[in-house]
Amino acid sequence: MSLDAVLARIDADLPAATERLLELLRIPSISTDPAFKADCERAADWLVKDLQSLGVDASKRLTPGHPMVMGHVPGDGPHLLFYGHYDVQPVDPLELWDRDPFDPQVEDTPKGRVIRGRGAADDKGQLMTFIEACRAWKAENGSLPCSITFFLEGEEESGSPSLVPFMHAHKDALTADLALICDTGLFDSRVPAITTMLRGLLGEELTITGPDKDLHSGMYGGAAQNPIRVLARIIAALHDHTGRITVPGFYDGVPEITDELRAQWDGLGFDHTAFLSDVGLGRLAGEDGRSALEMLWSRPTCEVNGIIGGYTGDGFKTVLPSKASAKISFRLVGTQDPCAIRESFRKMVTEMLPPDCTVEFTGHGASQAGSFDTSGPAFEAARQALSDEWPDPAAYIGCGGSIPIAGHFQDITDTTPMLIGFGKDDDQIHSPNEKYDMESFHKGIRSWARILDALT
Ligand code: BES
Ligand code: ZN
């Protein structure tokens, strides 16, 4: 077998591969919104059919939420598992999109050719890089290079509620020598990456209730408690003036990075000014005295993701609202314990409540940070394979996002995760006008072919 032949076939097949991706992108598989349940099913069906066309024994596996897609091909050599997710984030605010998010298109931009549409980079484009590499491999060689299990999830963007029970129930089928996860990014457009650290995530929603109904703010204002003001006070108290988070015990289990790791990250020459200027900013926020990469990859955060309360429609209404709520997420590192932090956060909020106010909490997922062992020979092989495809050698990097399944592979199936992806910082994942560079897609497919060649 020749890797060159597989790579040549990938190049020749790129237009058809792009068409297949566009087809998948047309399915609005928004997992968090029940209105799109049938579309999640459709995306799963589409993937089952596509995998079957590669000779994979694939099927939809039902869960209490959206289905998983699982499939297996037997073979010699290592048993590889591939994970990606077919669900996508909601598209709002829709008016900020330049096109229909589910009518994807290939566009030429000043920075190159892109595939634009919801899910292009997170994660449909990425998961198709692996499937397309397998397709080209099979077309050239008649079979896939080794034993491969495909495991595609439809609930990643909504906190993976069905994942852990599913993994326990299918533990044997999901145990492999290596779990390849394609849901992360490059370091930059020249430097491919293997991600070795992910932050954990804790989601909390709180609703503060004051008066038992909305009131006239002239008739009651001043004498009656306003829950939005209470909420604002609580939110403001979550950080001190140096950017540190004030929840008691929050920093338990947060390690300082080693001098070696700091030197390695400094060596990457990350330009935080360019990173921020891409999103219309100029100054580093956050904790005093910490570098951007350090804050993104190795420090915990507390961010307010949304606030709801009172009158938010057009015009003006002099209302003193009955309720105010906020969605707050914490990114976690090291061995920070999400459950302990949840408890401490709730206690802190409750203690700050004035008389006459009550609070209700809803939890939205809790996952610990992960850090992954890269000492096995497969990592050096994959790193070399990536370095052969991209202009500069591959780097080991951290990631500020969260992919809870990586930790579950370690804990539940005792399978080492290897996180490789081809997204770029300006892909606008979760935002309007999401895109995936054609270069990410094309070189991503070629990278997997090289990695499969190197691992088998
Ligand atoms: N693909 C992302 C994770 C990611 C984010 C990778 C940024 C690289 C850079 C993933 O789909 C995601 O968005 N995860 C969620 C977690 C989830 C529990 C909702 C996240 O990080 O917010
Ligand atoms: Zn995402």
Side-chain angles (χ1 to χ4, degrees):
M1 98 93 215
S2 138
L3 174 62
D4 286 340
V6 176
L7 295 176
R9 182 172 283 266
I10 289 170
D11 296 349
D13 200 33
L14 185 63
T18 305
E19 283 308 314
R20 284 186 286 269
L21 172 56
L22 291 174
E23 215 179 286
L24 179 59
L25 289 172
R26 281 185 204 110
I27 308 174
S29 45
I30 303 172
S31 59
T32 197
D33 185 341
F36 295 88
K37 186 170 169 45
D39 296 300
C40 292
E41 292 276 342
R42 269 208 297 143
D45 289 331
W46 189 95
L47 286 162
V48 166
K49 238 172 116 189
D50 197 48
L51 287 173
Q52 284 172 346
S53 78
L54 296 181
V56 179
D57 174 22
S59 60
K60 212 164 59 170
R61 307 293 179 91
L62 300 187
T63 74
H66 304 300
M68 308 282 180
V69 172
M70 257 176 88
H72 182 71
V73 266
D76 300 328
H79 176 194
L80 301 179
L81 183 145
F82 176 78
Y83 169 89
H85 63 91
Y86 67 78
D87 63 321
V88 302
Q89 284 279 330
V91 295
D92 61 279
L94 188 57
E95 64 279 11
L96 296 185
W97 284 78
D98 296 332
R99 56 173 314 101
D100 177 346
F102 296 110
D103 178 19
Q105 212 61 240
V106 176
E107 281 176 20
D108 283 310
T109 76
K111 284 172 150 181
R113 192 160 257 240
V114 307
I115 302 161
R116 192 168 315 272
R118 174 55 92 224
D122 189 10
D123 185 40
K124 289 173 175 172
Q126 303 241 69
L127 83 82
M128 288 307 288
T129 58
F130 188 81
I131 293 179
E132 294 298 346
C134 289
R135 194 185 325 274
W137 193 288
K138 167 129 179 161
E140 278 307 312
N141 301 302
S143 64
L144 294 180
C146 62
S147 162
I148 304 181
T149 299
F150 294 82
F151 181 35
L152 310 176
E153 190 193 352
E155 299 186 318
E156 197 273 349
E157 298 292 8
S158 48
S160 302
S162 310
L163 186 66
V164 169
F166 188 88
M167 287 183 80
H168 279 292
H170 299 83
K171 190 169 162 199
D172 290 343
L174 294 171
T175 300
D177 296 311
L178 201 58
L180 305 171
I181 299 177
C182 191
D183 197 20
T184 51
L186 303 163
F187 176 67
D188 63 32
S189 44
R190 300 185 59 87
V191 183
I194 300 179
T195 294
T196 66
M197 290 167 74
L198 289 168
R199 290 194 286 191
L201 187 62
L202 170 68
E204 281 284 276
E205 184 163 351
L206 69 159
T207 301
I208 295 174
T209 305
D212 63 6
K213 56 182 79 64
D214 283 6
L215 305 174
H216 189 295
S217 69
M219 214 167 151
Y220 289 92
Q225 199 57 260
N226 180 334
I228 296 184
R229 286 176 52 199
V230 174
L231 179 67
R233 201 152 60 226
I234 290 171
I235 288 174
L238 289 171
H239 295 84
D240 71 14
H241 68 281
T242 68
R244 265 180 89 83
I245 294 146
T246 55
V247 175
F250 183 75
Y251 286 93
D252 292 353
V254 177
E256 284 298 329
I257 57 171
T258 61
D259 291 343
E260 191 192 344
L261 196 55
R262 191 184 304 277
Q264 198 191 315
W265 288 355
D266 286 347
L268 291 170
F270 183 70
D271 179 354
H272 75 250
T273 312
F275 174 72
L276 290 175
S277 82
D278 267 354
V279 293
L281 296 174
R283 297 284 176 93
L284 214 49
E287 286 178 277
D288 289 354
R290 306 254 176 205
S291 76
L293 280 192
E294 187 183 0
M295 285 198 278
L296 290 169
W297 293 351
S298 72
R299 298 294 296 172
T301 65
C302 163
E303 293 295 348
V304 186
N305 305 121
I307 296 186
I308 310 152
Y311 183 69
T312 57
D314 289 340
F316 199 72
K317 181 180 180 191
T318 49
V319 64
L320 197 163
S322 163
K323 288 180 191 297
S325 62
K327 296 175 194 283
I328 295 180
S329 61
F330 299 87
R331 296 279 169 180
L332 309 178
V333 304
T335 57
Q336 275 181 301
D337 174 357
C339 299
I341 291 170
R342 169 168 281 154
E343 207 174 297
S344 177
F345 167 75
R346 290 183 179 187
K347 184 161 177 274
M348 173 176 166
V349 170
T350 308
E351 285 172 1
M352 286 185 74
L353 278 187
D356 270 356
C357 281
T358 56
V359 62
E360 263 178 85
F361 296 98
T362 314
H364 288 281
S367 69
Q368 265 204 296
S371 87
F372 313 112
D373 177 24
T374 57
S375 59
F379 281 83
E380 204 32 55
R383 205 165 88 95
Q384 189 54 53
L386 284 167
S387 304
D388 290 344
E389 176 62 25
W390 295 82
D392 291 344
Y396 288 122
I397 65 170
C399 172
S402 307
I403 305 176
I405 192 170
H408 300 323
F409 278 127
Q410 286 178 312
D411 302 341
I412 300 174
T413 62
D414 199 20
T415 298
T416 303
M418 181 187 275
L419 293 108
I420 294 175
F422 312 99
K424 295 187 181 171
D425 285 341
D426 66 357
D427 282 346
Q428 293 167 209
I429 64 171
H430 296 206
S431 301
N433 297 321
E434 177 176 352
K435 58 89 176 161
Y436 197 42
D437 284 11
M438 191 57 86
E439 183 185 50
S440 294
F441 188 52
H442 186 191
K443 281 182 164 297
I445 302 170
R446 290 172 54 98
S447 296
W448 284 123
R450 290 182 188 276
I451 292 167
L452 287 172
D453 183 53
L455 295 181
T456 57

